[in-house]
Structure formats: structure tokens, C-alpha cells
Amino acid sequence: MKFDEAYSGNVFIGSHPHYEDSKVVLYGMPMDWTVSYRPGSRFGPARIREVSIGLEEYSPYLDRELEEVKYFDAGDIPLPFGNPQRSIELIEEYISGLLKDNKFPLGMGGEHLVSWPVMKAMYKKYPDLAIIHMDAHTDLRTQYEGEALSHSTPIRKIADLIGPENVYSFGIRSGMKEEFQWAKENGMYIAKFEVLEPLKEILPKLAGRAVYVTIDIDVLDPAHAPGTGTVDCGGITSKELLASIHEIARSKVNVVGGDLVEVAPIYDSSEQTANTASKLIREMLLGWVK
Amino acid sequence: MKFDEAYSGNVFIGSHPHYEDSKVVLYGMPMDWTVSYRPGSRFGPARIREVSIGLEEYSPYLDRELEEVKYFDAGDIPLPFGNPQRSIELIEEYISGLLKDNKFPLGMGGEHLVSWPVMKAMYKKYPDLAIIHMDAHTDLRTQYEGEALSHSTPIRKIADLIGPENVYSFGIRSGMKEEFQWAKENGMYIAKFEVLEPLKEILPKLAGRAVYVTIDIDVLDPAHAPGTGTVDCGGITSKELLASIHEIARSKVNVVGGDLVEVAPIYDSSEQTANTASKLIREMLLGWVK
Amino acid sequence: MKFDEAYSGNVFIGSHPHYEDSKVVLYGMPMDWTVSYRPGSRFGPARIREVSIGLEEYSPYLDRELEEVKYFDAGDIPLPFGNPQRSIELIEEYISGLLKDNKFPLGMGGEHLVSWPVMKAMYKKYPDLAIIHMDAHTDLRTQYEGEALSHSTPIRKIADLIGPENVYSFGIRSGMKEEFQWAKENGMYIAKFEVLEPLKEILPKLAGRAVYVTIDIDVLDPAHAPGTGTVDCGGITSKELLASIHEIARSKVNVVGGDLVEVAPIYDSSEQTANTASKLIREMLLGWVK
Amino acid sequence: MKFDEAYSGNVFIGSHPHYEDSKVVLYGMPMDWTVSYRPGSRFGPARIREVSIGLEEYSPYLDRELEEVKYFDAGDIPLPFGNPQRSIELIEEYISGLLKDNKFPLGMGGEHLVSWPVMKAMYKKYPDLAIIHMDAHTDLRTQYEGEALSHSTPIRKIADLIGPENVYSFGIRSGMKEEFQWAKENGMYIAKFEVLEPLKEILPKLAGRAVYVTIDIDVLDPAHAPGTGTVDCGGITSKELLASIHEIARSKVNVVGGDLVEVAPIYDSSEQTANTASKLIREMLLGWVK
Amino acid sequence: MKFDEAYSGNVFIGSHPHYEDSKVVLYGMPMDWTVSYRPGSRFGPARIREVSIGLEEYSPYLDRELEEVKYFDAGDIPLPFGNPQRSIELIEEYISGLLKDNKFPLGMGGEHLVSWPVMKAMYKKYPDLAIIHMDAHTDLRTQYEGEALSHSTPIRKIADLIGPENVYSFGIRSGMKEEFQWAKENGMYIAKFEVLEPLKEILPKLAGRAVYVTIDIDVLDPAHAPGTGTVDCGGITSKELLASIHEIARSKVNVVGGDLVEVAPIYDSSEQTANTASKLIREMLLGWVK
Amino acid sequence: MKFDEAYSGNVFIGSHPHYEDSKVVLYGMPMDWTVSYRPGSRFGPARIREVSIGLEEYSPYLDRELEEVKYFDAGDIPLPFGNPQRSIELIEEYISGLLKDNKFPLGMGGEHLVSWPVMKAMYKKYPDLAIIHMDAHTDLRTQYEGEALSHSTPIRKIADLIGPENVYSFGIRSGMKEEFQWAKENGMYIAKFEVLEPLKEILPKLAGRAVYVTIDIDVLDPAHAPGTGTVDCGGITSKELLASIHEIARSKVNVVGGDLVEVAPIYDSSEQTANTASKLIREMLLGWVK
């Protein structure tokens, strides 16, 4: 027995044991230090792995099995606790490493700010990159209480980086008036309240493009994801979110990476949120990695 | 610093600091002493205020911000614990005071019986008053286990006061056979199971009328509001309830007051119910107060 | 007072006090020893009874009251704890006893394996028996980790017994690839993801047939039933499940028995799952027993 | 199989199947309608039975097994929901029936008011009756918010019935000033804060006397019993409470009945309170019934 | 009715309605933004008020009633969310205001860092000030992850301000090696693990001194206070903490202010922690304000 | 970056990154398939790691820091789900591997049965091995419901292996009469109810002996460890358990391995049990590995 390989108890179900010959790397970004309302998403990735034991390895939606996609669960990126600036640097460096090795990066948050350094790394490799963003919140602030590194700012930072016209937000139902105005004035796409129907309209326009997909679990109604920091009623169902993932899978978009963020287990004693997240990860894996 | 004004930590987000120049008064009615199944709604108003910190002050549904509506969170009405008769008298007196000052009353329960004394005060000012009632339960009993002051009786009392033909109930999915029969025989309107579609039919008939709107949080499916005394599956989604509030906002009805009742925090460790209630209060404020 | 009849505190609401002149017998099967992921359904039946106190005895869906159907809550079948083989034998023997007395058997689980011995007893009495199965999972394995008596196998066993062409599964969204293939190759009906619409198609084909209906509570989305062992997002709403029960009630199918399984209270601190289950039991009673 | 005897799933572990030849009758009194702070004890008895499955039938404290004491779990007394006056009459009548049949009554609450009608029945049979009362609260009010039938009044009523000099309270750490004064002026014994040591002093004085023992679970510190209506820190440990039960068992007191009240499961998602209550019931059975 | 005074529903039980003629001011400091492990104490003060309704107004420990001490619950200090520097300035300014009016300040946290600005204000008024500190943690770091304003640093800052020889810590069971060493080398008093016995030794030495008392609820064992950010087993019981408060009350120390911090309700669904905190506040009020 | 070493997010705090030069190996045994009452301990090890982030690396009890003991968290042993026989073989093989490499094995359960294969491996290396066993339960059954591989049997199996006279049980408060008798008749040591005092007597007798220490978390009172399968009141405090670990540390016993089992996170929404377990693991590491 090789003990360095023995740590299989708490990896995502079906994880391949070796990094080298895996196509996808699954990793956690256990950071929540800029959260304004209810923290706790630092514990999200570990819990998602824990509950993945309850999943089947086959998707009847996609008629595909996990063994058809070699992926390696690399665990959580070791982040310097309480230091957003350094955390962001480490995430960017980590993703750059993955991309150099031609891995498909699939991340688990952590707060939404983690998507920002991921996109910085992605954008270097894919200069025509677009982003599909599913969320209850705009996340378009320039700062929050004076703090530019905040869970309320990542999409704005990304828009500034890749151009607002390459940002497509879906399911948005919360934000400041100024955020919606900024988006409108700068040609950024926002689909309010709904995800699936507007997505069907947008996907053909993105055909052939390199696209990163970031999903904030709070795009779901709190009924479907009570375990998150900022619950906001009026969201979509898990059925609609699954269908949206599958719609992307069946589209001609070239998905080059993705993440699922803001699972905060403490607020959900039934653990339905973590279980749902683990199924979403499975569908993202099976649907987006060809 | 004036200490009497210092109590801003636990008011509803965006509350104006002064009563005098506020248009709306928001108040709690922390009473649950006649509840038959699972009590706890006495703690509802305080929890709704607590979690309102997680709200944005802007509604993308209505394109309006809280600062456009001056409202004063007056806290909870001090009610004599365990005495329904005196509680009811105090609520009526309190609302009468608000109406004399031309305030728009917006209440948070507490059990549903609190709507009864509110309506008594409202009816004196608005003799042509109608009520829109969203609820899982008919609440049309004349008594419960021999007690006329019961959370099962308020709508019946209101119907007796303003005439059953002025009572419009929506979303009803639970009650005794006799209650449904009484409604039918007395010309009271009941839309079973649904809210939004029947509301669209009724609202034009109420155009120009003074209308009070009372929402029992259990009109929502337990998936969307587990934190209430009497959960009853088969209810509407928070999306439908939001749309119903907005439908009223866009109608020609003259909303003169409203309440949201039966939030019982102990049954919802995720606090989604209180969070949802706080968003509903925001939408009621922004949508119904012109 | 006769003390043997005194045990009315923890029976399902409205239960008739005597076995002899009751048409229906309601019983619990508190077994969960073969569960693979999250056990706890052994405590389901007791909790469903406990919370049934919150129910009205009238169904506005069916315009019928519990007093119109005489049923006897016989409590839980005493099962030898930890012994699946003997448990199964006892359940079969118990149901055979009920059928000899011409009772309509209505069961509460417990894990889904309990439906297997019930079907063995039913099949002896009704040789043309078909089964309607609502579930998130196929339950078509021949064994689980080498164990033939597993909560993953009951529908397969039933299909082997009554013929796969007499098994109709609805709402299925999880299973191994091999299970779906087996069903397809053997003429078993599976409606993936949906229940109500496919049911409307199938029911006319079953007109006049003796049908047993087994409902795994996890056919509901976790939002509607967090209190179960294996939550799996993307499920149906409680509204759709109620409508499906009512669709069967209005059909020409001859329902001869049924069960509701897999309620595991520990995972739902709001108790919405048990409350929902108690309402489903009421609707099954009022809808299926003529 | 005789179905009237089939209800063994939800009885207290080791219950004898027949009333007639049992020495002890165990019964629930699922009433909490006069509770002032946090209700829910109506669900106590059912939960205590549910979790008793986790108990061993042997007590290493007393070196005695449940099979050495024949007892019959008669279930919950059917109480008219919401009617304290009639509930009290039914309890008294029920206990009188048990006493006529020479049963040892062992009750599970429900709120503490249930002990009052029990004592009325007991006192008729045992005119020299004394009571040992373990509780956090004095329960000596004459009324609560004007209501004489309140969970704050039972011990006062009992003191008025059997004479304050026959009432021995232990562990008391909460009450109004007037209650403590009344006790002092009327010769009633109150041991503040402690149970075991003062009990050791009192028991010899009660040697040979008929004694009823009532235990409010909140005599325990909330650490040991969070699942109760009115938690009050500074209480005793479960070790001290067990030792107190055993001290009574070893004394020369003639215990003629007892109860354990105020278990409210909703406030304890770990269910330690119900589990603790079930062990206390076992020790009361094994220790007090010779 | 004067509506500015109407906010009595959610104040601490027995609060006097006017600031001017109150001796004590009770206030919340709802800040937790520097917390490293599990945040949530921002919601502590509101919850403590909410549950205080379950308290008696009389202390049998001190034989004193709340009406004997006039205190005004001023609500929470409005703190700029997410800005520790400005929060600290506002707290200091607030306390200075109270002291100028000769009020006894009694605070509820919030994270422990809030005690630091309170002490700055106190020290200006009482130059011979000593502090009694009960806590599981040393809180003597100079910074945490590079941040000087951290919940791990307040006692160090206080020691630097008033001199380490005037700091008396009790119940400490967690900290870095360097923290314990610094205390030792600088003449600061630390009683490891225990509170009551070492307190009895220290109190006589502080006779006549002006003393501020700060209690971190996590000095209690997690069994007694699960609802806090950093639970750490091996703590004292609520009985010992109550006795320690009473020991101070009976001593010749001149208590000039105090606080109770780190109650984080989300981690305690039974709410025993908030209930315990409300009783501790009552005893602090009754014991320390002559 | 070497990705195989990146998995540092979910290891026990302070874990050394390499197996080879570590003295201790910490591993999980996520098995609970023979549990009779409330399962869930399969999720214990992962949760203990998760919460270890809240620990300080220094022990003020032992004046020692984690960096003084090199240990490697090897993750969970991959166990064939649902197969006790094969699980046991794999555990034995795993431990044998560790012992061959001269590692100190420190395990986290999982159910108590896991200690049995560990002891089989240990006994081969240490023929004079004794075991110190802290537990609420005897675990001396020969079978449970006919199953020899049960969480009720491990200590009996161990006694049969190493001789009952080498088994020392402490804190026992639950078991069948026959189990206590067997222990007595066969010279096995059982200290009922208490741990620390009897341990002080026994340790000198074991001086110089190779001793394995197994701690079932339920030796703690449920107040201190609600998150376990079979809670049983009347247990010891976490203070006493810590003191017992330290007593062993200061003794002349040669501790050669140990484990901490039966943490079941689902039953403890406050997570105090997992937090307590993580501190116990730290003290076991710092105290027992010289």
C-alpha cells in the first residue's frame, strides 16, 4: 500500500487516483473572509465531497457515467486564512498551473470572490473568453464598505478584465440600482429572475466560443439551497438549474472551466444543499467535459 | 447623541429614524397565545428585523429603492402576554392611533388573529373596505375548541364585520368542510390552491376600492416557508407570491394597509423563512405605498 | 374505561378505534437496516402519526372527510431489529392476515425494501396485480455490495415476481446505467423525471386492473422532502405529487393497497417532511378507498 | 395475530402486552396548552417512547432488569386539545381508574400542570401523601396572567390540597419573590439549587410515608436537557439526577407513583433530552417499584 | 401614545422606558467582522433580548428583583458594517457618552474585540482601573494573520493600555505558547482552566478598586454554551459561572461596568446559549449595580 | 506546485505533509454498517478534520505544541461500503503496514467495531498488550441480533484475543446483565460510571506495559457529546476526559496506539462534538507520543 495515495475517504466520488493522466482537476477554494452577511462557505468543498457518497455515478439526464471522464480531486487549495489578497494570488497561480498541464479546472467555493483569480488565469490562456454567470446577485459593486476585495465585486472585476460585453448573467434578482444601470450602460447582458429560457437565446450566439461558467448556488431558491450565506427568495428550482447545465452541455459552446460557489453547510441541517451541489458537480463534469 | 434614537441595531433595514415625517409605520404584533398546533410566531417580527440586514434596499422587480418610501419601524406593540382579549384591544387602539396620524400601517405577526383588531380599526376609517387574504387555511371557524378568539377564526370575524362579499381569499388548501360551505353560501370569494391567476381576475373588480391585504406566510409551500406553525404541503412558490404582490402593486386597487403573519423562526434553522419574510415586507413597502 | 383502547394519543388522526369494522388498516414498517447512505426511516411512521394532529380531517381537493372512510391505525409491525430476512417474512405474514380479513392495506415505511414482502402477499390475492411506483431511484439492482436484501433492490424483486411489464415507475432520476437498460430490455415502464403527465397516459391502460401504489417520499424534490435518506435534487413538487394521487383517485384503476416510504425525520428539523407525509396519507386514504 | 395487540412499535421498550397482569401503568399526558414561554411538551411522551429503543433493559446502577417489573405502556391519555379544565378532569379520572385496579401510575408529560389532577386522585387513596418535587421552578403561583390553570401553578395547588408541610421541592432556582416567601411562611420545604444532598437529609424523615415523586426535566441544567420549554442555566447534572432517583430507591420511602414532565423535543435536534428522559423512566421503574 | 417609546417588544425584560433616570444602560455591540473561525455573534444581542421573556425578574441567588435596579435597554449601537476601525471609534464615543451621564455601562457582544474601545473610555474615567476577564482564550495576540484589529487581540491591547499587572484572566484553556509566556513575563495574572477558586483568591486584593468585568461566553464548556464561535471543551459549568458572578457581587470590588460577549445564536438551535446569556445579564445587573 | 501534495485543505490541523518522516499516522475508519441504534459515524473523521481549523496548535495542559510531534494525516482508509468482514480485513492490513513502518497509529472512527482489527494487528507486534477502554457501553456481547460483527461486540472479541485480564474498561454505564457478569467471572476490569479516579489506581499497575487506548466519545455525557449514535446520560464531563488523557500521558504506561470513535455529526448541529473530538485528538497526540 502506498500511503500517499491512501487518502480516498474524503474525495469526490469516482475520483481518479492520479493527477497526471486526469483530464479534469476538481479543487476546493475554502475562503469566505470577505462575506458581508452570513459566512460559512469555507466549509463548502469538504462537505460536498463528504456527501458525494450518496450519488450514483451515472447520469440518466446525459446517459453518461463518471468513469467516462477521468478527473482528479486535488482537495482544497491551501489558502492563507483571513488574507484575501494573498488567497487570490494563490488561486490564480494554482489555476495557471492546471492550465499549463492542460487540465480542465472545476472549482468549488468558497465565496464568489474566488472566481475572480480563476478568470485572471483563464483569460491569459483564452483571450476570447466569455463568462456565463448564474446567480441571485449582480456582484457588480466596485467595493463594499470600502473594500474592493469583496464577495460583492467579482463579476465587476471580471467585466473590467474581459469586457462587459463578454459577461452573461442569469437569474439575477438582487443588487443595487447602480449595478443594474452600469450593466445596461456598458453592454453587459443580465437576464433577470430566469435562467433557462434566456440561456437558450444566448447560447447560439456563443457557439464556438471559449466559455467559463460560474454558478452561485444562491441562484436557486432558498427552498432548494437553504445552506448559503445570502438566501434570497424568488429563485429558480433545481430542476431548472439542472436543465440549464444540460442546455449548455448540448450547445456548441466550448466550456473550458467552471465553478460552483457559496455552499455554506451550517445553515442547512438537512444537508440538501451540499447533496444538490454534489449532483450539480457530477452533471457539470459529465456534461461539459467532452 | 440622543439615546432614545440609538436603537437602530434591530430595526428593519432602511427604517427612517422619526415617526412624525414617515408615511408608513412598520410594527410587530408578537402574539401567538391562541395557536392550536405549533406556536412560536411571537418571535417572528424580531427575527424578520434581524435578518433584514441581508437585503438590498433596491427592488429589481419594481425598480424602486427603500429611500423612496419613508417608513418608521416602531418595534413591537407591547402586548399583555397570554391575554388575547386585551391584546386585541391594544392592537386596535394602536392602529387607530396610526390612522389618525394618516400613517400607512404595515404589520408583522404573530398569529393570524392579530389581523382582526387591525381590520376593526381600518373599517372605521374605510367603510367600503375590502380584504385580500392569502393563506393555506380558511380561518373561517366561529370558534376552536370553544374559544372564539382563536387563530382559526380571524377571517370569519372579518367577514362578519365587513360583509363576506368583501372578503377575497386566495391559495386556500385546508379547512373544515363547513367553512368552505359557509363561504359559498354567503358570497365570500375563495380561490382554492392558486393565488396569482385568480388574483388577476379579481383585481380589476376591486379597482379604486380601499383594500387591506393580509398574507399568512403559510400560503407558501413548506419548501419555501418551513418556519411556520402549521405547514401544509401543496402551496405556492415564493416566485408566485412575489408576483402576486407585484400584481397588486400594478393594479388600480387602493391598498391602505397590510400585514404578513405566522413566521415562527424555531421551526426553520436555516432562517430562510424570516429572510423571505423580510424580502416580502420590502416588496410590500415598495409596491403598495405610492 | 377500557385501557387496551386507551392508546389514542399516538395514532393517525381520525383513526377508528376498532380493527374489526374498519375498512382500511394503516400500519408502520419501522425498518431501515439495509439502507446504504443515510439511515433513520425506522423512525418515520411514529413521527408521521405524531404530526398528523396538525391536519384537517377534510380534503378540499377531494371534497371528502376522514369520517367517510373507516380506518384503523394498527401501529407499527413489531419487526426483529437488524434482521432483514425475518422482517420480510413478518411483513408478508402480517399483510396476508389483513388481506384475509378483506382490509385495504396502507403502509408507512421504513426503507423501500418493505414493499417487497407486501407485494408478495398482495400478488397471491391479486394475480393480475400491477404496481405504480413513484420514486427518485430505480431500485432495480439485483444486489447492493453483494446483499440481495437491500433498499436498492425491491422494485427488481417485484418485477421478477409480477413481471416487468406490470411495473410502472414514475419520477425516476437516479440509478445505474445497467438498471435503466434492464428496464428497457424487459418491457418495464419508466417515466424519467416526471410523474403527473406520464401518469395521465398510463392510467387509462390500467383501467379495471388491481393496482398497488408505492410512493418513495424522495420522488419529491429535497426542497419538499429534506427528511429522507437519499436526497436527490431535480424532483417534483408536493403539488405535483398531490395531483398525481388525485389523478389515480379519479381514474378507473382499482387501487387495492399502497404505501409511503423513506421518511427519515432526523434530517428535517422543521418536520415539514413528516407533515407532508401525513397529508399524503390522508389523500391516499380519501382518494383510493371508495 | 391479534391486531389489537399489534401496536408494539411505539411503546416504551420492554412493555408488557397486557394491562391486567401488569403492576405498573406507563402513560403519556400530551398537554401543553397553558405554557407561557416555549410550548411543545405535548410531543414529549411519543418521542420518549420512540427513542427508548436505544436503551438497554438492564440497569447497572440498580442491578435490575426491566423484565423484573411488569409494566404496561398504555399510550397517551386522549385529552381534549386546548381545554385545560376538561383535560384535568380526564387525567384525574384516568388515574383513579388505575388506582382502583391497584396499578402503580407512572406518567410522562406534557406540561407540569398535569401533576395536579394526578395528585388529586392519589390523595384520595393516600391521605398521608407527601410529594417530592424536583424542578428549576417553584410553580407556586396562584395564577399566571389571570389564569389559575397554568403551568406555573401546579405545586401551589398541590400544596393547598395536601398541605404545604407535605411538599418537598428540590433544585429550585427560579420563581417570583412572593413564591419563595409564601413557601417559607407556610412551612413548605424548598432546597434551592441542589437536589441530592438535601434529599439525603429529607428522605429519612419521610420513611414509611406514601410519597409521589414529580420530576420536571428542567431541574437538569440546559446542557443536559435543552429540549424543554423554559431552559434555565445553573441546574444539576444528569449524574446528580440519576443519583437522586437511586437515593429514593434505596430509602425507606414508599413511592406510590411518579411522573417526568416538560420534555419538548422540538428544541433539541440531537434528541439527547428524550433519550435522557427514557433512561430516567427506566430507573424510576426499576428503582421505585418493588 | 408616544411612538418613540413604543419599541418595548424587543428590549431586555424589565427595561425602564427612559434613559434619563436609569442608572444602568444595556446596549448591544453587533460586530463580528474580525472573527477567524465561526462568525455569527453580530446576532447575539438581539437574540438575548428576544429570549429574556423567559426569565423571572427575581434572583433567588441574590434575593433581589429587577425593579430594584433601574436600567435602560438602549438597543444596539449602530455600527458601520464591516469596518472594524470605525466601529471601535463609535463604541468608544458611545461609552464616553454614557460615562459622562454617570451611567453604569453593561454591554452585549458581538465579538470580544468590542471590549477594547469600551476599556479605552473606561480608563479615562477610572485611571486605577483593573479588569477581570473570564474566557477560554487568552486573546493576547498582537495580531492575527497580520491584522491588529482581531478578536484574538483585545486583552493584549487592554494590557498594553492599563498595564498587564491590572489584568486578571480566569478559565483560560486555549492560546499560543507565546501568549502564555508573554503574560508570565509581564506580570499579568492567568488562572488556567478554573474560575471560581482563583477568583476567591484575587478578589480581596482588588477590594476598593474600580474593576471592569468582561465575560466571553466560551469560558463555559460547549455543553453549556454551544452557540459561540470557537467552542473549546474542558470549560466550566454555568453553575460555576453564576457562582463567580455572585462572588464578585459579594466582594468589596467596585464594579464600574461589564460585558458579556461572543453569543452566536446560529450554532445553537435549542437557544440554550442565548437563554443562559440572558440570565447572566440579569445576575450581573442585580449583583454588580448597588 | 506538486498537486499530489496539494490536498492540505481537509487534513487535521498541523499535519506534516509526508508519510515517510512522520512518527504518527492519523487515519479515519469511516464505517458504521453494524450500528444498531442511530448510525452516522461514517462521517465522523471527515468532520473532525474539518473543524480542527478552530484549534490552537499549543496545549496549555501539556505545555507542548503540535510541531513537536511529526504526524501525517493519511485520510480515511478506503473501506468497502456495507461489508463489515472485508472492512475489518482491510483495517487490519492497513495497521499492520503502519506498524511495519514503525508508525504510531492514531485512528478516528467510525463505529467501535473498527478497534477490533486494529487490536489484531497491534497484538501481533506487542504480545503483552493491554487495552484501556473508555466507553458508556460494555461492548461485550458475543453477537447482536445474531450478528457477531456488531458495534456491540468489539471489546469481547478483544478480550478473547488478548485475555480478559488485560482489558481495563472505564466509565461503563450501560450493558446487559450477562456482560457485566462475564467480565466479573473472567477477571476483566470494569470501572462503572467513573474514569479518572479508577484510572489513577490502575495506571501504576500497567507501568512499562504496551497499552492501546480506545475512547468511545459516548463515555462523555450527552451534554458534552450529543453527536453520537447511542447517547446515554450520566456520563463524565469533557474536563474529566481531558484529565484522564493527561493522567495517562503522565503515567509510566507505554502507549503504543489509540483511537477515538463513534462521532456522528448529524446529531449535533452545533458541531461541539466534532470540535471536542478534534481537541481530544490533539491532546492524545501531544500527550501519548513522546
Side-chain angles (χ1 to χ4, degrees), chain C residues 36-37 39 42 81 145 267, chain F residues 36-37 39 42 81 145 266-267:
Chain C
S36 56
Y37 182 41
R42 69 185 74 177
F81 180 62
E145 305 278 345
Y267 304 105
Chain F
S36 58
Y37 182 41
R42 69 184 73 177
F81 180 62
E145 305 277 345
I266 185 65
Y267 304 105

Side-chain angles (χ1 to χ4, degrees), chain C residues 32-33 35-40 42-43 80-83 144-145 147 266-267, chain F residues 32-33 35-40 42-43 80-83 144-145 147 266-267:
Chain C
D32 64 4
W33 15 101
V35 163
S36 56
Y37 182 41
R38 307 193 307 182
R42 69 185 74 177
F43 300 117
F81 180 62
N83 187 333
Y144 191 83
E145 305 278 345
E147 196 63 55
I266 186 64
Y267 304 105
Chain F
D32 64 3
W33 18 101
V35 163
S36 58
Y37 182 41
R38 305 192 310 181
R42 69 184 73 177
F43 300 117
F81 180 62
N83 188 333
Y144 191 84
E145 305 277 345
E147 195 64 54
I266 185 65
Y267 304 105

Side-chain angles (χ1 to χ4, degrees), chain D:
Chain D
M1 197 182 307
K2 288 178 56 190
F3 285 95
D4 281 338
E5 289 182 7
Y7 204 148
S8 62
N10 199 28
V11 294
F12 197 85
I13 192 169
S15 169
H16 186 70
H18 301 294
Y19 172 80
E20 284 72 19
D21 53 348
S22 291
K23 195 164 189 173
V24 183
V25 173
L26 181 68
Y27 51 90
M29 296 172 282
M31 160 179 172
D32 64 3
W33 16 101
T34 80
V35 164
S36 58
Y37 183 40
R38 305 194 309 182
S41 61
R42 69 185 75 177
F43 300 116
R47 198 64 56 88
I48 294 171
R49 287 185 190 100
E50 241 187 79
V51 302
S52 70
I53 197 176
L55 282 179
E56 294 284 349
E57 302 197 15
Y58 171 71
S59 165
Y61 303 88
L62 296 161
D63 190 23
R64 209 173 180 211
E65 292 180 293
L66 282 179
E67 66 176 23
E68 299 175 47
V69 184
K70 257 190 196 163
Y71 65 95
F72 174 71
D73 180 355
D76 287 358
I77 306 178
L79 297 178
F81 180 61
N83 187 334
Q85 184 56 51
R86 182 74 186 125
S87 300
I88 280 172
E89 290 163 14
L90 283 168
I91 294 172
E92 184 179 352
E93 182 186 348
Y94 185 97
I95 304 304
S96 297
L98 294 183
L99 294 178
K100 204 161 56 185
D101 291 350
N102 285 314
K103 305 300 183 190
F104 181 102
L106 189 54
M108 299 182 287
E111 57 166 290
H112 214 160
L113 185 56
V114 299
S115 302
W116 156 237
V118 175
M119 281 300 282
K120 287 207 285 185
M122 299 296 291
Y123 188 53
K124 282 182 195 146
K125 179 160 184 177
Y126 303 99
D128 70 329
L129 191 63
I131 188 167
I132 289 176
H133 166 229
M134 305 180 193
D135 200 333
H137 306 87
T138 44
D139 288 359
L140 286 171
R141 299 194 183 206
T142 51
Q143 49 78 24
Y144 191 84
E145 305 277 345
E147 195 64 53
L149 292 180
S150 156
H151 78 135
S152 304
T153 63
I155 303 306
R156 176 62 176 270
K157 288 182 182 308
I158 289 167
D160 288 343
L161 176 72
I162 68 171
E165 69 281 7
N166 296 314
V167 178
Y168 296 83
S169 289
F170 299 86
I172 307 300
R173 55 192 190 273
S174 187
M176 291 193 304
K177 189 170 190 169
E178 293 74 14
E179 296 176 82
F180 288 94
Q181 282 173 335
W182 182 88
K184 202 171 185 178
E185 291 163 5
N186 289 275
M188 179 189 143
Y189 178 88
I190 293 185
K192 286 198 291 188
F193 317 131
E194 306 301 326
V195 176
L196 185 57
E197 289 312 314
L199 192 63
K200 285 179 180 170
E201 287 179 30
I202 293 299
L203 284 172
K205 301 183 189 170
L206 293 172
R209 286 276 300 272
V211 170
Y212 184 86
V213 187
T214 181
I215 302 177
D216 186 321
I217 195 84
D218 70 18
V219 73
L220 290 172
D221 191 89
H224 296 271
T228 191
T230 310
V231 289
D232 189 67
C233 72
I236 66 171
T237 64
S238 57
K239 235 180 193 176
E240 183 173 347
L241 183 49
L242 283 166
S244 301
I245 290 172
H246 300 145
E247 193 68 28
I248 294 172
R250 284 186 297 264
S251 77
K252 292 183 174 150
V253 157
N254 175 26
V255 182
V256 293
D259 61 47
L260 178 64
V261 300
E262 296 284 3
V263 172
I266 186 65
Y267 304 105
D268 178 6
S269 60
S270 77
E271 300 200 326
Q272 72 165 103
T273 313
N275 278 282
T276 293
S278 74
K279 181 168 174 177
L280 296 174
I281 290 289
R282 186 190 72 190
E283 297 301 302
M284 291 160 84
L285 266 170
L286 293 180
W288 298 350
V289 186
K290 311 296 175 181

Side-chain angles (χ1 to χ4, degrees), chain B residues 3 15 19 30 33 51 88 101 115 149 157 160 166 184 187 200 203 206 214 216 222 245 252 268 272 286 289:
Chain B
F3 285 93
S15 170
Y19 172 81
W33 16 101
V51 302
I88 279 172
D101 292 349
S115 302
L149 293 180
K157 290 182 181 307
D160 288 344
N166 296 314
K184 203 170 185 179
K200 285 179 180 168
L203 283 172
L206 292 173
T214 181
D216 186 321
I245 290 172
K252 292 182 173 154
D268 178 6
Q272 74 165 102
L286 293 179
V289 185

